[in-house]
Amino acid sequence: MAQSSTARKLDDAPPRAVLRRAFGGGDPPRPPVRPNAAFASNAWLAVLMFLGAEAMFFAGLIGAYLVFRVGSQVWPPPFQPRLPTAMTAVNTLILLASAVTMRLGVRANRRGARVLLIRLLSWTAAAGTVFLLIQGYEWLQLLHFGLTVSSSVYGGLFYTIIGCHAAHVCGALIWLAVVWSKARRGRYTKESYVGLQICAMYWTFVVALWPLLYGLVYLY
Amino acid sequence: MGLALLAKPAALWACAVCFGDPNDPITAGFNASVLFLMATPYTVMALIAAGVFCAYRRARTQQAQAEPSETVAPLAWNQEESGR
């Protein structure tokens, strides 16, 4: 097919050496406009939006709790067991420590320390598992003392809010196990570690939410 | 119906979340919950905006460290682009 005579063809362009002479020698300069580079990955943005939705979900639960808590003269209601605040405080520290190991793991990956990353991810998963085990033990004790979902509004709110958080920790642990497995296989490098980064974001969210719930449900 | 409502204006003041006594504890509970839920979307949006801003600044810093800035003459670029 014949090409248009008015169209500028690449073959008609002067050779590079001619251009250099016209310019004065040397390599041609870079374009003055720097191309726009994405400052974050799509997965990072998606997880950020997802965490916003999660925050609103927990806000609804906390709002329901506030209605009953502020609206009650006596809390916990009479003949209902008290929550174990001291043991849960220790559990809170364990969960906060897991967030620290997670962030250190991400930093280790940025430095290229793969072995340290795997070790720190293992510590994070261990702390999360201990948190869930202690909470499960607490639940068994509370059920034994008569606090059930249907025993009162107090029990219903407690199991709904704390149970939702425990389910999130459980989901985060499964995700963390996948990330740990990928880290062992060397899937994350210094330059490319989006999977690790978004898992750390989710873990940080779950951990950061817990002190708020602990203060509200256990201490307030 | 409008005339009936005008005849009994107190009915127009009814509110879905009012339970009679404003000093009632359950009213205080609803107020606390409503205030909390009103503040939460703004807090979440502010945190998302802060996260995006921090990521943008970090990316710009990394890009600046990776590529040192150069002085580029736009006219020289245009001359090359013209192909003369």
Side-chain angles (χ1 to χ4, degrees), chain A residues 157-216:
Chain A
L157 285 171
F158 171 77
Y159 285 113
T160 304
I161 295 174
I162 304 300
C164 278
H165 182 265
H168 279 73
V169 174
C170 199
L173 265 179
I174 295 168
W175 191 354
L176 186 59
V178 174
V179 168
W180 179 82
S181 169
K182 284 188 169 182
R184 271 180 69 89
R185 281 179 279 159
R187 293 286 179 87
Y188 303 119
T189 61
K190 275 199 290 189
E191 293 79 20
S192 172
Y193 56 95
V194 180
L196 172 67
Q197 192 181 20
I198 58 176
C199 180
M201 280 171 70
Y202 188 68
W203 189 269
T204 307
F205 168 77
V206 167
V207 173
L209 187 63
W210 176 251
L212 180 68
L213 296 181
Y214 172 64
L216 193 71

Side-chain angles (χ1 to χ4, degrees), chain B:
Chain B
M1 187 174 172
L3 286 174
L5 288 173
L6 284 174
K8 197 173 171 59
L12 296 174
W13 301 338
C15 172
V17 293
C18 292
F19 293 90
D21 186 8
N23 298 319
D24 195 45
I26 197 73
T27 308
F30 269 106
N31 285 341
S33 178
V34 166
L35 285 174
F36 174 75
L37 288 174
M38 276 173 63
T40 303
Y42 298 104
T43 310
V44 169
M45 290 304 291
L47 287 174
I48 289 175
V52 168
F53 180 71
C54 288
Y56 176 70
R57 279 194 66 177
R58 194 186 309 133
R60 277 194 65 179
T61 307
Q62 286 174 354
Q63 192 178 11
Q65 287 171 351
E67 295 177 18
S69 59
E70 293 177 4
T71 306
V72 176
L75 285 175
W77 169 252
N78 291 338
Q79 184 186 11
E80 186 195 34
E81 181 67 6
S82 68
R84 290 174 189 166

Side-chain angles (χ1 to χ4, degrees), chain A residues 127-144:
Chain A
T129 309
V130 169
F131 173 82
L132 280 184
L133 287 175
I134 291 177
Q135 209 161 55
Y137 174 74
E138 275 181 10
W139 280 36
L140 287 176
Q141 294 292 313
L142 289 169
L143 287 169
H144 178 70

